Amino acid sequence: MSIGLLMRLDQAGVSPLRLDARRIRIGRAQACELCLNDRNLSREHASIESRPEGYVLVDHNSRNGTRVNGIAICRRLLRDGDRIAIGNVELVFNLADELAAPEQPAIDSLPARSAADGIIPDGATICQPASERRKRGSDPTLHGWQIMRAFNAAHAHQTGAVAEQVVSDLAGLCNVRRVVLYLAPGVCGHTERWIKRGDPRSRSGTPFSEDLLRAVAAGDTPVRDRGAGAAEADDAACHAVLMAGRPRGALYVEGTEPLDPEPMDVVRLAAEALGMGLALHATSSARATAIPAAPSAEIIGRSKALQACMATTMRAARTDATILLRGESGTGKELFARLIVGESPRRDGPFIPVHSSAIEENLLGSTLFGHEKGAFTGAVTARRGLFEDADGGTIFLDEIGELSLVMQVKLLRVLQEQEFMRVGGNKQIKVDVRVIAATNRDLEAAVKEGAFREDLYFRLKVIEVRLPALRARTEDIPDLVDFFVGDLRRSVATDVRRVSPEAMQALCTYPWPGNVREVRNVVERCLVLTSGPELKLDDLPPEIIMACAPCEPAAEVLESPAGDLRGVEHHHIRRVLQECAGNKKLAAERLGISRTTLYEKLRNPAEF
């Protein structure tokens, strides 16, 4: 089992702190488990809590805030290698296998263990660096064990990265000039996967080909432990990667000269461990798909508006009361719903999010409450509803303001009595479900208009949490932008690593009518379309560039004898866009032009 370790970067030679307890408080107070003598820390500054999903860092509304990798956070799921800055103290968080804890021998001194032992701990690195292997040699059994440990610790999106690291480690062995791993379609993605390290081309006279590896992976070409299938000499080897006894890949290693028996054994065992690790990971991924994962929420920023909202949310989470989340679209209502579940006594129960407006009205009743066989045309069997599936847990009803009056009556009874009947049924079904509702509508106005039941409104509004719009916490924009740049770089092929000061200033000036969701979309668009390591002002969408431009007409426009109609029009469009908070549909209506015309003018500002 993996454990968390904390190390102070300014104190070399000090043993890491093991996070054995469920909750470690960090601050100046003597009562804190990690007491640090720093005036910039609050008495109880932050805490690290062990959760099923991992170690979670929570800021306790501290005076100077908590940062992870330079980004201010309220709550963050820690990852291996994260740097935590609190006051003037910087800590590094690492995940390590419990067998490699400080009081235990280092990983390289552990006795060799076979994968057949059935003991596959999580959380350690794959192998020692190539330079160290060259000095100390290689224990093939230990290498195979470490490869399997790495796969056991990997998440679904990291499987390819672990395979790449294994190939890189093999390429670092003595006398190895080229390593190629081929994985058939479906093993690591929907298409076939090639991972190559070392010399880009095979040696002259070596009958290596991609068709050969495909044949080995398909089981059409038998291979021996040494040399067969790739070359007759002892300076090359090709091994099938077996998953559940079936070939699903091929591992080819080529040496600069005849390979020693030890590296050949490492290659053979690496192929075996790769197959077993991939098979174990495929099994765990399928199990994770069948069983909902524990919800996790990462809240970026530390503005006063966000801190106040977090404080209310955390207090409400520890109760079983119904919660109504209010806020504009894109403010993160589902994120806060997941935070509530993660902090509640029901965290181990099911969490079912329901987007009410995305379900057809005539199917919503059956979806929520289930139906009996023959209840309507097509109901060939009885079916459980989402409220039954959420029994013992939490159901999140998004866009609650869009429900019809008929559905509002049914929902009211569930909230009051915790019971309902299936469509077409005559039996009351009791459930124990906590309801979290969310809306961006003005429910008070809807009640006055008769579109929303007043009794349901007050039943939902036991605890109300109003999420602030992004324009009310502009100081969080730089942290959000940096977070999305780092997060999206994992999935977007981009060279962008930072944002220029001019571009960041423009992003902070823009009113963001789409809130945090719009920030993420804009950052993703820029990462896809930008070349180079820095995101510059010119790389931003035109509406953001125009919104940050001065609103007053330029002096040359006012002084031009003809009035410079193009400049006046340019200024007028910028002013209307600002008044409409960037809403181009509303701006086009006010300007009396179509949205297509407005988009053309925004796309070519130099032409008007």
Side-chain angles (χ1 to χ4, degrees):
M1 180 172 178
S2 58
I3 61 169
L5 303 174
L6 277 182
M7 171 69 82
R8 281 191 67 165
L9 294 182
D10 58 346
Q11 291 187 355
V14 179
S15 298
L17 171 67
R18 290 170 52 110
L19 302 178
D20 291 321
R22 180 175 177 83
R23 183 169 183 263
I24 300 291
R25 294 170 297 172
I26 306 172
R28 288 189 296 111
Q30 293 293 328
C32 292
E33 286 76 15
L34 180 54
C35 179
L36 300 171
N37 185 19
D38 187 333
R39 292 184 178 180
N40 292 313
L41 266 65
S42 300
R43 291 187 58 80
E44 190 171 314
H45 195 100
S47 64
I48 298 178
E49 302 179 17
S50 176
R51 294 294 181 85
E53 63 267 34
Y55 290 90
V56 177
L57 174 65
V58 180
D59 180 80
H60 290 182
N61 198 12
S62 60
R63 184 176 69 254
N64 293 318
T66 302
R67 290 185 172 270
V68 176
N69 302 326
I71 298 172
I73 61 98
C74 281
R75 185 180 189 273
R76 172 72 182 264
L77 181 66
L78 292 173
R79 299 172 177 85
D80 189 37
D82 278 347
R83 294 197 172 196
I84 305 167
I86 49 176
N88 293 322
V89 178
E90 191 168 8
L91 309 168
V92 63
F93 171 82
N94 287 115
L95 279 174
D97 189 82
E98 195 158 8
L99 292 177
E103 65 269 24
Q104 300 289 341
I107 187 66
D108 292 321
S109 62
L110 287 174
R113 303 187 69 167
S114 170
D117 291 344
I119 301 174
I120 311 167
D122 352 288
T125 55
I126 300 169
C127 299
Q128 63 266 39
S131 59
E132 292 298 315
R133 289 198 305 276
R134 292 190 181 98
K135 295 176 183 176
R136 293 185 296 226
S138 304
D139 183 339
T141 306
L142 180 58
H143 277 294
W145 181 42
Q146 289 174 318
I147 291 169
M148 291 189 64
R149 291 167 66 193
F151 270 104
N152 196 42
H155 297 292
H157 65 281
Q158 295 175 321
T159 308
V162 174
E164 290 181 1
Q165 184 63 51
V166 171
V167 173
S168 296
D169 284 346
L170 291 175
L173 292 173
C174 293
N175 301 330
V176 171
R177 72 182 295 274
R178 176 177 171 81
V179 181
V180 179
L181 173 65
Y182 167 73
L183 297 175
V187 176
C188 191
H190 298 294
T191 59
E192 61 182 21
R193 181 74 178 267
W194 292 91
I195 302 175
K196 304 176 182 180
R197 294 291 184 272
D199 198 301
R201 294 187 302 177
S202 213
R203 277 185 294 100
S204 176
T206 300
F208 163 74
S209 68
E210 294 185 353
D211 291 337
L212 171 66
L213 290 192
R214 288 192 181 98
V216 172
D220 298 333
T221 300
V223 293
R224 299 192 304 272
D225 281 349
R226 302 178 69 176
E232 293 300 322
D234 290 337
D235 55 358
C238 184
H239 296 274
V241 176
L242 303 178
M243 293 178 61
R246 176 187 171 198
R248 299 290 290 142
L251 178 64
Y252 170 83
V253 176
E254 184 180 295
T256 56
E257 56 188 49
L259 295 170
D260 296 331
E262 185 179 300
M264 298 293 278
D265 288 338
V266 171
V267 175
R268 174 183 55 79
L269 194 61
E272 295 176 1
L274 276 167
M276 295 180 68
L278 287 165
L280 281 170
H281 184 76
T283 303
S284 63
S285 297
R287 189 181 300 117
T289 302
I291 302 173
S296 177
E298 296 186 342
I299 311 297
I300 305 301
R302 63 172 315 270
S303 60
K304 289 184 178 180
L306 183 63
Q307 291 280 2
C309 183
M310 279 286 295
T312 304
T313 302
M314 298 290 278
R315 286 195 296 269
R318 298 182 177 94
T319 71
D320 252 353
T322 302
I323 297 178
L324 178 62
L325 299 174
R326 307 282 294 271
E328 298 177 6
S329 178
T331 50
K333 293 185 287 293
E334 183 168 344
L335 186 70
F336 271 79
R338 292 182 178 275
L339 172 62
I340 291 168
V341 175
E343 297 292 332
S344 74
R346 297 174 180 263
R347 69 173 65 94
D348 296 326
F351 172 70
I352 299 182
V354 182
H355 298 274
S356 308
S357 59
I359 303 175
E360 291 290 337
E361 178 63 31
N362 57 344
L363 298 176
L364 187 57
S366 172
T367 302
L368 292 178
F369 307 116
H371 61 256
E372 298 292 348
K373 180 179 179 180
F376 49 83
T377 303
V380 294
T381 59
R383 175 185 171 184
R384 290 163 55 95
L386 295 180
F387 268 94
E388 286 182 77
D389 292 337
D391 191 22
T394 307
I395 191 166
F396 172 56
L397 301 177
D398 199 5
E399 303 297 344
I400 194 74
E402 307 300 325
L403 289 180
S404 67
L405 290 172
V406 174
M407 287 304 303
Q408 290 177 32
V409 174
K410 295 181 178 181
L411 179 60
L412 179 62
R413 178 163 182 81
V414 177
L415 291 173
Q416 290 178 338
E417 308 296 337
Q418 291 278 292
E419 64 180 20
F420 60 89
M421 286 192 297
R422 290 178 179 173
V423 176
N426 55 12
K427 178 183 176 182
Q428 294 289 347
I429 298 175
K430 295 285 291 185
V431 291
D432 176 21
V433 177
R434 182 188 194 173
V435 174
I436 302 174
T439 184
N440 59 4
R441 288 190 61 184
D442 185 348
L443 292 185
E444 292 80 5
V447 169
K448 292 180 180 178
E449 295 168 2
F452 201 84
R453 292 180 61 97
E454 186 177 27
D455 48 1
L456 177 60
Y457 167 70
F458 287 114
R459 189 64 186 82
L460 290 170
K461 194 181 174 181
V462 177
I463 299 177
E464 183 181 73
V465 179
R466 290 187 177 267
L467 275 61
L470 190 54
R471 60 182 173 274
R473 54 184 188 102
T474 54
E475 58 267 45
D476 290 336
I477 293 176
D479 289 315
L480 286 167
V481 171
D482 290 340
F483 173 77
F484 287 132
V485 168
D487 190 56
L488 291 170
R489 287 187 75 254
R490 303 174 185 174
S491 56
V492 177
T494 181
D495 295 328
V496 176
R497 294 182 177 275
R498 58 186 177 273
V499 181
S500 71
E502 296 79 14
M504 187 65 79
Q505 179 61 38
L507 292 169
C508 292
T509 304
Y510 185 62
W512 298 108
N515 293 293
V516 179
R517 183 184 294 121
E518 187 182 6
V519 176
R520 188 187 190 282
N521 293 341
V522 167
V523 171
E524 184 172 12
R525 172 192 182 278
C526 292
L527 293 185
V528 171
L529 300 180
T530 302
S531 58
E534 187 174 68
L535 179 63
K536 299 179 180 178
L537 180 62
D538 293 341
D539 299 321
L540 300 178
E543 60 268 26
I544 296 180
I545 298 175
M546 293 181 66
C548 73
C551 289
E552 294 300 322
E556 57 269 21
V557 173
L558 296 175
E559 295 171 3
S560 62
D564 194 349
L565 292 179
R566 288 184 302 174
V568 172
E569 184 183 24
H570 190 180
H571 160 70
H572 182 58
I573 289 177
R574 290 204 314 270
R575 181 175 57 81
V576 173
L577 271 171
Q578 281 192 327
E579 292 175 354
C580 298
N583 188 321
K584 289 181 282 294
K585 179 181 178 182
L586 181 58
E589 292 175 356
R590 291 191 182 182
L591 291 166
I593 59 177
S594 66
R595 272 193 293 175
T596 303
T597 302
L598 178 60
Y599 279 118
E600 287 297 324
K601 292 182 180 293
L602 292 174
R603 193 175 296 115
N604 304 297
E607 296 181 4
F608 62 92

